Amino acid sequence: MKLQEYRSKEILARYGVPLLPGETATTAEEARAAAERIDGPVVVKAQVLVGGRGKAGGVKLAATPAEAEARAGEIIGMDIKGVTVRTLLVAAAAEIAKEYYLGLILDRASKAVIMIGSAEGGIEIEETARTHPDAILSVPLHPLIGLQAHNVRRASFFLAIPADLRSAFATTVKGLHAAFMDSDADLAEINPLVVTPDGQLLALDAKIVLDDSALPRHPDLEAMRDLNEEEPAEVQAREAGISFIKLDGTIGCMVNGAGLAMTTMDLVKLAGGEPANFLDIGGGAKADRVAAAFRIILDDPNVKAILVNIFGGITRGDEVAHGIVEARQTLTREVPMVVRIVGTNAAEAAEILQAAQLITASSLDEAAAKAVAAAKSALSAEPAS
Ligand code: GDP
Ligand code: MN
């Protein structure tokens, strides 16, 4: 789960990372009022969970409250990479002498948290990483000890932090690291971390990405979720206890078990189709969860056929079959459905499905081929637009 900049800064502030004051606003008038309270030049910043807001025109300086109001009016409602700006951060503006990049990332390949730093921070950091990888420092941290003093010194020297700011830099790195560990983050970065002409070190932008699997340990962080920016189907799925990821294909998949769901997607591709989603209804799914899964799948207008693949273990095949038949009566849209149920109570399931005249299949290859064929004929039957 990605946190908005203002949320990320809220967390970092608790760990002593040096920041300038700021307030959120959702209207131009609120932005003006915030600028009046800040009483000085401000920066008006779109709060959207996509990178490159600066380049897209979503970060603007304003010398006066009237200017802040005008800039806010321009940014609210702006479309940045497909996301509409609804919230702004109005923060005291800093003068910048030098921009650095500082980040921590959980690198699964090296099984370590890696500290990344660059003296070429700011909006071109991705470009720098590509063209001058030698300008990026990357230090794996000890998996048990974590951040050590020599790691901090190494970063400080690599970035050529001015001598009188090394202590402030150490505080910042330690604060970022503690925030990262305590919140079970996958990523925490400050870009830019700046030095001002009068010699202050400040974090001007922050981004924290949390490990979704650790969120149950952090109800306070979970509450920072921005539903506005999530795929609505994924929000619904989470509420129903279903793992769901939207994809771009035409074949909706409803499967129990993550591994089986992956296999099902592979076989859809092998049969020449494209899955519309990953969906795991989980173990022991009952009729209501099956119905919720169908609604979520069919909300996607690209879905032209549904492939149901259930391996009955704890999940009983006849329960799922009943769920499918019941759910079908409540669905708003009719699409061909291919159902394969094996395992516990498969025979009972087959009877229920046959009585309801659903397309069934005994092997997964057969099921995938039938679903792909059904989607193709549904697509070719559609009037060309
Ligand atoms: P991003 O483009 O989404 O990463 O948004 P940032 O918050 O990093 O802002 C982009 C750029 O705007 C930064 O790299 C800075 O150069 C500039 N910027 C952001 N805040 C300030 C500020 O307070 N003062 C000045 N002078 N520039 C700023
Ligand atoms: Mn930035």
Side-chain angles (χ1 to χ4, degrees), residues 140 178 209 223 246 250 310:
V209 179
K246 190 186 166 338
T250 57
I310 301 295

Side-chain angles (χ1 to χ4, degrees), residues 74-216:
E74 290 158 18
I75 299 173
I76 291 172
M78 189 184 260
D79 182 286
I80 300 184
K81 299 182 183 168
V83 183
T84 306
V85 180
R86 292 198 169 85
T87 306
L88 303 173
L89 172 65
V90 180
E95 282 184 62
I96 301 176
K98 171 88 192 149
E99 293 186 301
Y100 303 90
Y101 174 95
L102 178 67
L104 291 167
I105 185 161
L106 176 68
D107 179 37
R108 291 176 198 277
S110 59
K111 298 177 185 149
V113 174
I114 297 188
M115 175 178 64
I116 298 167
S118 177
E120 317 285 323
I123 58 177
E124 299 293 346
I125 188 70
E126 280 88 3
E127 187 59 22
T128 302
R130 226 181 351 263
T131 55
H132 298 284
D134 49 315
I136 313 271
L137 171 76
S138 165
V139 181
L141 303 183
H142 191 285
L144 298 177
I145 302 172
L147 182 72
Q148 295 175 268
H150 68 86
N151 301 139
V152 180
R153 278 198 299 279
R154 178 141 171 232
S156 192
F157 285 118
F158 185 89
L159 301 185
I161 300 290
D164 57 335
L165 286 174
R166 280 187 201 144
S167 149
F169 179 74
T171 305
T172 304
V173 181
K174 286 178 198 163
L176 184 68
H177 181 258
F180 178 95
M181 297 305 291
D182 287 356
S183 53
D184 287 314
D186 282 339
L187 172 103
E189 70 174 22
I190 302 173
N191 184 37
L193 175 69
V194 305
V195 172
T196 63
D198 60 354
Q200 263 186 295
L201 188 74
L202 289 169
L204 291 198
D205 184 19
K207 175 175 172 186
I208 295 180
V209 179
L210 302 169
D211 177 352
D212 285 337
S213 304
L215 280 174

Side-chain angles (χ1 to χ4, degrees), residues 205-290:
D205 184 19
K207 175 175 172 186
I208 295 180
V209 179
L210 302 169
D211 177 352
D212 285 337
S213 304
L215 280 174
R217 307 210 292 203
H218 304 286
D220 54 327
L221 301 178
E222 168 81 55
M224 293 182 171
R225 189 185 285 284
D226 196 333
L227 293 179
N228 207 357
E229 280 196 45
E230 298 197 359
E231 189 68 51
E234 291 178 14
V235 175
Q236 273 182 43
R238 191 166 48 243
E239 281 163 5
I242 295 166
S243 308
F244 174 86
I245 294 163
K246 190 186 166 338
L247 301 168
D248 298 328
T250 57
I251 300 182
C253 300
M254 188 176 97
V255 187
N256 67 326
L260 193 59
M262 299 294 280
T263 309
T264 306
M265 287 160 55
D266 282 350
L267 285 175
V268 164
K269 284 210 160 219
L270 196 63
E274 289 291 334
N277 63 275
F278 166 97
L279 189 153
D280 171 11
I281 58 168
K286 294 261 164 41
D288 55 342
R289 204 162 344 136
V290 172

